[in-house]
Amino acid sequence: MIGIDTGNTAWVLLCATLVFFMTPGLALFYGGMARSKNVLGTIMQSFFLIGIISVEFILIGYTMIFGNDIGGMIGGLDKLGLVGTAQEVLDATNIPEMAFVAFQCMFAVLTPAIISGSVTGRMRFAPFVVFSVLWAILIYNPMAHWVWGGGFLAELGALDFAGGLVIHVLSGVSGLTLCILLGRRRGYGRMPMLPHHLPMTILGASILWFGWFGFNAGSALGVGDLAANAMLTTQIAAAIGIVGWVIAERLHRGKPTVLGAASGAIAGLVAITPAAGFVTPLASIPIGLIGAISCYVAVAILKNKFGYDDSLDAFGIHGVGGTWGAIATGLWATTMVNPDGADGLFYGGGLLTPQCISLVVAIVFAVVGTFIIFKVISTVMDMRVTISAESLGIDISEHGEGAYNQSEFKSSGRFITSDQNSLV
């Protein structure tokens, strides 16, 4: 058996814990932007997926992605239930395969949780869970195999260092499709639906930023120049993302906002994700800046123009930012940073073509797959809460609890709350 590199192993295990922390961070990020009557339901959608998607990934997800390739389309069942992985060591970085399993598991957990941001306040919990599990099996796992597991997009030459295509484009486009199928929230466009707790959102954004270093730098699967480059490009893109979003907001709306600063950081992080291990630190400046401005346009202008109710802008940030990041990789990638990569357009290479092809594949697959899964589930389950439940809030209607109850007492077998925010 190949000797284990303890330094690389420690790094990957540390990064796995950082990526794990991103899902609770996403829950807080989304929870703060939700209305107070929906905050617990919003958090639960992310938090519960940590449990059920982890189980799905261990049982079948890992082998579907990284099992022996079958026709470039899916991994075989040779690693079903992690069979044969306990004693294996990855050749490239000499880490135990089990460490790689743990790292990839956290990616699989986070991805469907991103979708929840598009349907906050109107999707029932049980069908959301069923949708997420089926989506992970039928959409995420095949796409991850196509790009990371030796599938046909990898053979085509498409690059995705840490998940711009597999995670952000796939979840963002699926979120947009799902929110359109569900329909808009009651009162959307006619009454304000403001974030109820911006400090919570800032805390969530900060946790996401912190975890993103593990997300991107950990994808080097070892300690060295590549991990250092990925960490630095991640920081720069997030930083310039804040600047770009706030400037665009100031010019468009007249005032910079804290929510805008947090959104800009996330937009920059999303944009750099597919490129972090392929581009120079200087290239991360235009990638993060253009990414943030593009996401701002999608959130502040296009959403209003087309009228779709992407509640917490999962598509506006992850879908749009991930799309730009995949294109940017095709422009700025260079083998001077990563010899295992390819040269983009600005370095005389032809990477842009496979990047654009992979984008089209991801978008079409996300739209068609989400539509089919939604329609199948909707034949046996009500996907959307009732009008009365939506007015009451999903915290009470779906989970029987409230986040900010000041006092409660029983009357005629029902809980009555004096929470003034329940009207928000």
Side-chain angles (χ1 to χ4, degrees):
M1 185 173 66
I2 301 174
I4 292 175
D5 188 315
T6 55
N8 287 347
T9 301
W11 173 247
V12 172
L13 292 175
L14 171 62
C15 289
T17 61
L18 291 175
V19 180
F20 163 82
F21 200 32
M22 291 178 70
T23 303
L26 181 73
L28 294 176
F29 181 70
Y30 280 166
M33 286 193 287
R35 292 189 283 177
S36 61
K37 64 181 181 180
N38 297 325
V39 57
L40 291 181
T42 300
I43 290 173
M44 182 65 164
Q45 287 177 329
S46 292
F47 198 77
F48 186 77
L49 292 187
I50 297 175
I52 197 164
I53 299 299
S54 293
V55 175
E56 175 275 327
F57 184 81
I58 296 304
L59 291 178
I60 191 172
Y62 184 74
T63 194
M64 289 181 68
I65 299 171
F66 298 104
N68 291 331
D69 178 62
I70 300 176
M73 299 303 296
I74 199 66
L77 299 181
D78 52 299
K79 298 180 185 293
L80 185 67
L82 304 187
V83 170
T85 61
Q87 304 300 321
E88 294 297 317
V89 177
L90 302 187
D91 292 337
T93 55
N94 292 348
I95 64 172
E97 187 171 2
M98 296 293 277
F100 181 69
V101 172
F103 184 65
Q104 285 295 325
C105 178
M106 306 312 170
F107 281 60
V109 166
L110 178 65
T111 307
I114 293 172
I115 298 174
S116 67
S118 289
V119 297
T120 297
R122 61 197 189 276
M123 189 170 184
R124 294 179 58 236
F125 179 68
F128 172 79
V129 171
V130 174
F131 172 86
S132 297
V133 173
L134 291 178
W135 187 90
I137 294 172
L138 301 175
I139 307 298
Y140 176 81
N141 292 345
M143 186 70 192
H145 177 76
W146 298 345
V147 177
W148 292 333
F152 76 94
L153 290 179
E155 292 295 325
L156 183 66
L159 297 180
D160 186 0
F161 189 73
L165 278 169
V166 177
I167 295 175
H168 298 295
V169 172
L170 211 60
S171 62
V173 173
S174 294
L176 175 64
T177 305
L178 190 58
C179 81
I180 292 173
L181 289 170
L182 276 174
R184 297 186 294 180
R185 288 167 290 179
R186 292 180 67 249
Y188 179 76
R190 301 191 307 273
M191 58 183 292
M193 297 182 177
L194 303 176
H196 89 283
H197 200 302
L198 281 177
M200 181 188 295
T201 293
I202 294 298
L203 175 61
S206 300
I207 292 172
L208 283 169
W209 192 338
F210 175 67
W212 225 294
F213 292 121
F215 199 75
N216 287 356
S219 293
L221 300 181
V223 178
D225 294 345
L226 188 58
N229 186 87
M231 180 170 284
L232 187 56
T233 56
T234 298
Q235 174 66 16
I236 294 171
I240 196 65
I242 294 177
V243 176
W245 189 294
V246 168
I247 290 176
E249 189 174 45
R250 175 66 176 80
L251 294 174
H252 181 233
R253 291 183 170 172
K255 292 184 178 179
T257 66
V258 173
L259 179 59
S263 300
I266 302 302
L269 290 165
V270 169
I272 198 60
T273 293
F278 299 118
V279 303
T280 66
L282 283 179
S284 66
I285 295 177
I287 292 174
L289 181 64
I290 296 172
I293 295 174
S294 299
C295 290
Y296 178 81
V297 171
V299 169
I301 299 175
L302 295 183
K303 185 170 75 168
N304 293 330
K305 180 178 180 179
F306 292 106
Y308 57 86
D309 185 9
D310 180 15
S311 306
L312 306 181
D313 299 312
F315 170 73
I317 292 181
H318 295 274
V320 173
T323 298
W324 161 243
I327 294 172
T329 304
L331 298 176
W332 277 285
T334 170
T335 53
M336 292 186 295
V337 171
N338 189 340
D340 294 328
D343 285 325
L345 182 65
F346 295 156
Y347 291 86
L351 179 60
L352 186 59
T353 297
Q355 292 300 103
C356 291
I357 293 173
S358 65
L359 263 175
V360 172
V361 170
I363 292 170
V364 172
F365 189 46
V367 171
V368 175
T370 299
F371 179 85
I372 293 173
I373 294 172
F374 178 91
K375 290 299 182 181
V376 170
I377 298 175
S378 64
T379 61
V380 295
M381 305 177 74
D382 292 328
M383 302 293 285
R384 182 165 177 154
V385 297
T386 63
I387 294 176
S388 60
E390 186 174 348
S391 298
L392 182 63
I394 60 174
D395 290 1
I396 297 296
S397 64
E398 289 291 301
H399 304 289
E401 56 187 349
Y404 304 111
N405 294 335
Q406 301 301 316
S407 65
E408 41 178 45
F409 58 91
K410 286 185 176 180
S411 175
S412 302
R414 298 179 62 187
F415 280 98
I416 308 299
T417 175
S418 62
D419 179 16
Q420 294 180 349
N421 286 332
S422 63
L423 298 177
V424 177

